[in-house]
Amino acid sequence: MKRRFLASLLALVGVSGVGAQAPVEYRFDEVRRTVTVTHGEKESRAAKGQQAESGDKVETGWFSYALIGSDRHRARFELFSGTSVTLAAGTPGVILTLER
């Protein structure tokens, strides 16, 4: 009985992927002035309609603005000037981390 229960529990954990967060997809709905996205070691300017993904860092310059949406989570974030965030840094349940 104990073996059957343990096998069932392990099967459920394997199927549900407990502890693993699916990557979150983001989209820049609006971009004004200087907004940069850093993906790994590559830094580029953000543009309206551009996609971003978990782990990317986004920074807004002075007098800059970005509106970022995540359709899966039905969330939208407004980033005003001088803001730095990390998108879904890998912590379960967190889809945006404000750094400054």
Side-chain angles (χ1 to χ4, degrees), residues 45-100:
R45 284 190 76 153
K48 184 176 181 177
Q50 178 179 339
Q51 299 291 315
E53 47 188 67
S54 297
D56 289 356
K57 293 183 183 270
V58 179
E59 292 186 17
T60 56
W62 291 105
F63 305 108
S64 300
Y65 172 82
L67 177 62
I68 303 172
S70 173
D71 291 336
R72 187 174 111 207
H73 294 284
R74 295 183 181 142
R76 294 178 87 177
F77 304 98
E78 290 186 291
L79 306 180
F80 294 95
S81 69
T83 303
S84 178
V85 299
T86 301
L87 305 175
T91 304
V94 176
I95 58 176
L96 181 111
T97 304
L98 177 66
E99 295 174 10
R100 91 177 156 193

